[in-house]
Amino acid sequence: MKKLQSILQIIRNLLLYEWTDKRVIMGFLAGMAVPLYWLKNFLDYAAGTGEPVNILEAFVVVEHEYKSVMFLVLGWFLMVSDAPFINGNTYYSLCRTGKRSWNMTMVLYLLVQGAIYTAGVALPMVIMSLPCGFAGKMWSDPVYLLSQDYTMSQSAKYGISFLQRDMMRSMNMLEAFLATALCFFLYVVLMGLILYTGNLLLGGIWGIVAAFIVHAGGFGLRFLGFGRLALAEYACPGNFAEAGGMHLTGPVAVMALLAAALVVIQCYLIDKVDFKEQVHVQE
């Protein structure tokens, strides 16, 4: 019980410490600002139809715009770029909890920050949809029409697309919103764990380099026709919807297993990390 209290206290103190850093605040604000381009396009499209939209649809539509995913994560990279979050209290925390418990504390911290970032991306779009939207579980007519825009005429006119008809058949609006938030959350946490693991074990900027290569490389794989090999595809649950139904367990399981594998690697190699040197460098 005392160790759990120590872990929760470390997470609380680290959150308070990190959120006084301009880097974290700028990253969070970037996560809120980046989707506004696609949000405006979607709301312009909805206004053009003259029909209301569900206030939850904006986040789902924008997050499934494949170009937006590439930029939505950049604010997250800025927020966690300081991994493994070494500061003046780190050595004291290590003495209280031990290396492996401290590592799990940092993993839990990434989960908390990932949830905050996901909320920061999604909730502003919900709020900005209020004047022209309605609440509920139903999909709106404008989004239904957008899902059938196979000629991409509306995409060319408004700069937004949503060819996820199978997802709409398999899920109501609330389910789609929650599934999208879950997959986006898992994806940013996975990118954060890649960054954290690289910086922790290799030092320097190797973590951010590795995470960016994995993230940006996914779009190259999609361009080459190997979309299912791109982790960015797993951030959008609609990519796993078919006429036969929704296969949400696929992307969730893949990202969860990869995240678990990274944690296992951290726990196995954490004893080899020289924290005295890293604390000294930070100071």
Side-chain angles (χ1 to χ4, degrees):
M1 182 60 70
K2 289 185 177 180
K3 180 168 283 192
L4 177 60
Q5 291 177 344
S6 297
I7 289 174
L8 294 176
Q9 184 65 33
I10 292 171
I11 293 174
R12 175 182 175 277
N13 291 341
L14 185 56
L15 283 168
L16 293 174
Y17 178 84
E18 288 287 305
W19 277 94
T20 60
D21 193 319
K22 294 179 181 179
R23 166 188 51 78
V24 175
I25 297 172
M26 289 177 61
F28 182 76
L29 293 177
M32 296 176 63
V34 165
L36 295 182
Y37 169 78
W38 290 278
L39 175 62
K40 179 183 181 300
N41 293 346
F42 173 68
L43 295 180
D44 286 346
Y45 161 74
T49 66
E51 297 287 337
V53 295
N54 192 309
I55 59 175
L56 302 178
E57 285 175 327
F59 171 63
V60 176
V61 172
V62 170
E63 205 269 349
H64 279 81
E65 179 68 47
Y66 80 94
K67 293 179 183 177
S68 74
V69 176
M70 181 172 184
F71 296 99
L72 283 176
V73 182
L74 297 183
W76 172 248
F77 283 154
L78 186 58
M79 282 184 68
V80 299
S81 61
D82 196 36
F85 316 112
I86 302 295
N87 57 57
N89 295 324
T90 300
Y91 193 64
Y92 173 69
S93 299
L94 285 166
C95 293
R96 291 173 60 190
T97 63
K99 286 186 175 182
R100 293 191 178 183
S101 293
W102 178 88
N103 180 70
M104 292 307 300
T105 302
M106 296 302 104
V107 172
L108 291 174
Y109 166 78
L110 284 172
L111 290 172
V112 173
Q113 285 285 55
I116 294 173
Y117 186 78
T118 300
V121 170
L123 292 182
M125 287 191 269
V126 174
I127 293 170
M128 294 183 72
S129 299
L130 288 173
C132 59
F134 61 89
K137 297 181 179 181
M138 294 177 57
W139 293 89
S140 68
D141 289 338
V143 172
Y144 178 76
L145 293 174
L146 192 62
S147 72
Q148 300 182 86
D149 183 32
Y150 295 107
T151 63
M152 303 301 286
S153 59
Q154 298 302 320
S155 176
K157 182 177 180 180
Y158 292 102
I160 194 72
S161 63
F162 185 68
L163 300 178
Q164 302 293 344
R165 190 173 180 180
D166 290 333
M167 183 183 189
M168 295 180 68
R169 288 173 174 172
S170 304
M171 292 181 159
N172 62 43
M173 183 62 255
L174 179 59
E175 290 171 340
F177 179 86
L178 294 175
T180 303
L182 174 62
C183 287
F184 182 75
F185 164 74
L186 289 174
Y187 182 71
V188 296
V189 169
L190 181 57
M191 290 299 104
L193 285 172
I194 293 173
L195 190 157
Y196 168 77
T197 305
N199 282 1
L200 176 69
L201 302 181
L202 301 176
I205 61 171
W206 291 110
I208 187 69
V209 170
F212 186 79
I213 289 175
V214 171
H215 176 61
F219 295 90
L221 288 171
R222 175 172 179 157
F223 179 77
L224 294 173
F226 300 100
R228 287 302 171 95
L229 298 178
L231 285 180
E233 290 285 295
Y234 292 79
C236 304
N239 294 332
F240 298 85
E242 299 176 352
M246 187 74 186
H247 305 289
L248 185 60
T249 54
V252 170
V254 168
M255 289 189 286
L257 286 173
L258 288 174
L262 287 170
V263 174
V264 170
I265 292 172
Q266 295 161 13
C267 291
Y268 182 73
L269 298 176
I270 190 73
D271 290 332
K272 299 181 181 180
V273 177
D274 186 354
F275 282 95
K276 289 184 178 181
E277 181 178 343
Q278 292 203 33
V279 172
H280 177 72
V281 170
Q282 288 293 321
E283 292 177 345

